[in-house]
Amino acid sequence: MDKLLVKGGRRLDGTVQISGAKNAALPILAGCLLVDGTVRVSNVPTALRDVATTNQLLAHMGAGVTVGNDGTVVVDAASVSECVAPYELVKTMRASILVLGPLLARFGSADVSLPGGCAIGERPVDLHVSGMRQFGADVRIENGFIKARVNGRLKGARIVLETVTVTGTENLMMAACLADGTTVIENAAREPEVTDLACFLNALGARIVGAGTDTLLIEGVARLHGGSYAVVPDRIEAGTYLVAGAITQGRVRVNGVVPGHLDAILAKLRDAGALISVGEDWVECDMRGSRPKAVDIRTAPYPAFPTDMQAQFAALNTVADGVSTIVETIFENRFMHMDEMRRLGAEIRIEGNTAIIRGVTGLTAAPVMATDLRASASLVLAALVADGWTRIERIYHIDRGYERIESKLQGLGAEIRRES
Ligand code: UD1
């Protein structure tokens, strides 16, 4: 299994190009199942394992999938014959649940394996299931599968989501596109990736209004047509590299981003003492050689601070000046990186969903283990400032969400290499 070896102590300085957003690419690729025609999706982070898994899933169903070496994926879902997402694929990627809405809406049938246990808490899919039932589908849980059926078309409905759910909103929005009549989704997720999916679907003939607000109005249409679309940049990848600049007291510029998507992250970097410069499609974080100040974090749905950046800011706080609290409100059990950071010398106390971190002046290298995607990124960040060579194991988690992380960090001056 691949490992990353990181030698801490280098101040990062440079520019990094940000990839397309994983969390937008996955629903968009799943959304291709709705389309009667060929779809060309560009700016797809095709080097990511989750993208490869999604492509495999589409191919398994009979869709034509062609991956270019320039970040484009062409999907032709005309030949879909098997409306089944098998356990072997779903167990490696929970986002496979995103095929439920498209399959059911277009083919009247979807069998999606239940994802099973997850490293970051329970993460149920009950809101996806109850939403499909409100659209008139018969949904049963049998033999480890969600089995959904509808005779004819789904019926538009008014759905009030009990919790803000990103993939839940996406699944219901996709299903509503081909439903008969009007759908209203209240308490919808407002994440930029949800908006990107809505723009993609509208480009192919869907009628969705309200994306980016908590109320979505969707007029069902008879069919979606083929077309082209470019995926939005990855705000979490961008945020991770900006924190890499801050934690090493260096200067990092991220290119090819939508700065407005980074507002909550940039506010915290400014609080940490960074000088933030913003251009049309770039952001620079400059610590000017000074130690970051500790910043309190509370995760919440967009536009508040993203749970997917919590672990990275935990890493920053481990070496910051002062004491900070980190409150995780989205997922239970999303603090597994904290134990690993303690192995590097961090001073962290956990009380329920709150971590209290007392910044230390230096970390020391140790072997550590990646436990989930963002936790792994946070260990790389901590390793960038730990004295000596840190070995990070199980980095397949990182490869699910960060394209070529070692070469991007090398480009910024980090000492990092991959070993198999
Ligand atoms: C998505 C992102 C993930 C991010 C998360 C929160 C993708 C592919 N993944 O995950 O990176 O960390 O949003 O921003 O986009 N919940 C229920 N019932 C449901 C669905 C969710 O109770 O049916 C709860 C979850 O347990 C969790 C909360 O809602 O506590 C938010 O989860 P959700 O937004 O659904 O996360 P994902 O869409 O899985």
Side-chain angles (χ1 to χ4, degrees):
M1 248 189 279
D2 284 7
K3 308 168 185 48
L4 280 179
L5 292 163
V6 184
K7 185 158 186 248
R10 293 255 188 111
R11 191 169 280 178
L12 300 194
D13 189 359
T15 300
V16 59
Q17 183 67 31
I18 296 307
S19 299
K22 168 181 88 75
N23 285 355
L26 302 184
I28 285 173
L29 290 170
C32 291
L33 290 168
L34 287 165
V35 183
D36 201 6
T38 302
V39 185
R40 182 188 167 85
V41 190
S42 56
N43 202 30
V44 178
T46 49
L48 297 184
R49 235 178 36 123
D50 277 8
V51 169
T53 305
T54 304
N55 288 339
Q56 247 179 300
L57 197 55
L58 298 179
H60 171 88
M61 292 168 184
V65 181
T66 313
V67 181
N69 49 15
D70 57 348
T72 58
V73 179
V74 178
V75 182
D76 179 357
S79 50
V80 167
S81 52
E82 165 108 349
C83 295
V84 179
Y87 179 62
E88 289 63 43
L89 292 171
V90 176
K91 74 177 180 195
T92 65
M93 187 187 69
R94 287 184 48 91
S96 310
I97 186 76
L98 286 163
V99 301
L100 177 67
L103 287 177
L104 185 60
R106 177 142 176 250
F107 304 103
S109 170
D111 288 3
V112 180
S113 173
L114 280 167
C118 175
I120 57 170
E122 205 184 331
R123 297 180 84 175
V125 290
D126 57 310
L127 299 173
H128 302 240
V129 168
S130 68
M132 297 306 160
R133 285 188 179 131
Q134 289 176 71
F135 286 141
D138 174 41
V139 189
R140 294 164 198 218
I141 310 293
E142 265 174 23
N143 311 110
F145 276 81
I146 302 169
K147 296 189 176 179
R149 301 285 181 276
V150 66
N151 266 335
R153 290 173 71 185
L154 294 171
K155 303 257 175 304
R158 179 168 176 271
I159 297 175
V160 182
L161 291 170
E162 188 182 295
T163 308
V164 179
T165 158
V166 174
T167 51
T169 302
E170 292 166 344
N171 233 338
L172 298 174
M173 182 166 79
M174 289 191 281
C177 286
L178 293 186
D180 195 14
T182 305
T183 293
V184 177
I185 304 175
E186 306 256 21
N187 200 25
R190 299 159 62 187
E191 270 66 4
E193 295 76 19
V194 178
T195 305
D196 204 40
L197 175 65
C199 292
F200 162 75
L201 295 167
N202 282 345
L204 306 183
R207 297 163 109 189
I208 303 166
V209 293
T213 75
D214 61 5
T215 306
L216 297 174
L217 182 80
I218 304 143
E219 287 290 342
V221 295
R223 63 181 286 272
L224 298 185
H225 53 74
S228 300
Y229 193 78
V231 174
V232 76
D234 197 314
R235 64 195 166 101
I236 304 300
E237 189 199 23
T240 303
Y241 286 108
L242 293 174
V243 174
I247 199 169
T248 61
Q249 304 183 8
R251 187 191 63 87
V252 166
R253 174 168 157 157
V254 289
N255 272 355
V257 299
V258 179
H261 293 169
L262 293 161
D263 282 346
I265 297 165
L266 299 183
K268 290 297 171 187
L269 286 170
R270 284 193 187 97
D271 288 350
L275 179 69
I276 301 292
S277 314
V278 178
E280 202 181 321
D281 67 347
W282 58 269
V283 172
E284 186 179 281
C285 169
D286 190 354
M287 276 312 287
R288 293 162 293 174
S290 58
R291 185 181 178 197
K293 294 195 276 271
V295 285
D296 291 335
I297 299 286
R298 183 184 179 84
T299 65
Y302 190 84
F305 189 90
T307 175
D308 285 351
M309 283 299 298
Q310 178 257 105
Q312 298 87 321
F313 272 80
L316 185 69
N317 280 335
T318 64
V319 291
D321 184 16
V323 177
S324 57
T325 57
I326 296 198
V327 185
E328 173 57 58
T329 75
I330 307 285
F331 293 117
E332 77 264 33
N333 199 20
R334 206 179 193 180
F335 278 160
M336 282 185 300
H337 45 285
M338 303 287 186
D339 280 335
E340 299 300 304
M341 287 184 199
R342 281 195 192 111
R343 294 174 45 73
L344 302 174
E347 291 191 17
I348 305 173
R349 205 173 77 236
I350 311 266
E351 284 177 17
N353 67 343
T354 302
I356 300 120
I357 303 178
R358 200 171 70 82
V360 294
T361 49
L363 299 176
T364 50
V368 289
M369 204 173 293
T371 50
D372 70 55
L373 170 54
R374 306 304 168 186
S376 323
S378 74
L379 294 176
V380 173
L381 295 175
L384 289 172
V385 288
D387 187 27
W389 283 96
T390 293
R391 191 177 73 233
I392 305 165
E393 308 219 11
R394 298 201 185 167
I395 57 156
Y396 54 84
H397 289 293
I398 299 191
D399 296 332
R400 286 188 41 220
Y402 291 88
E403 279 195 317
R404 296 179 288 275
I405 191 168
E406 64 274 28
S407 62
K408 288 192 181 188
L409 282 172
Q410 280 160 4
L412 297 171
E415 231 177 317
I416 177 169
R417 63 171 197 266
R418 182 181 288 253
E419 267 183 11
S420 19

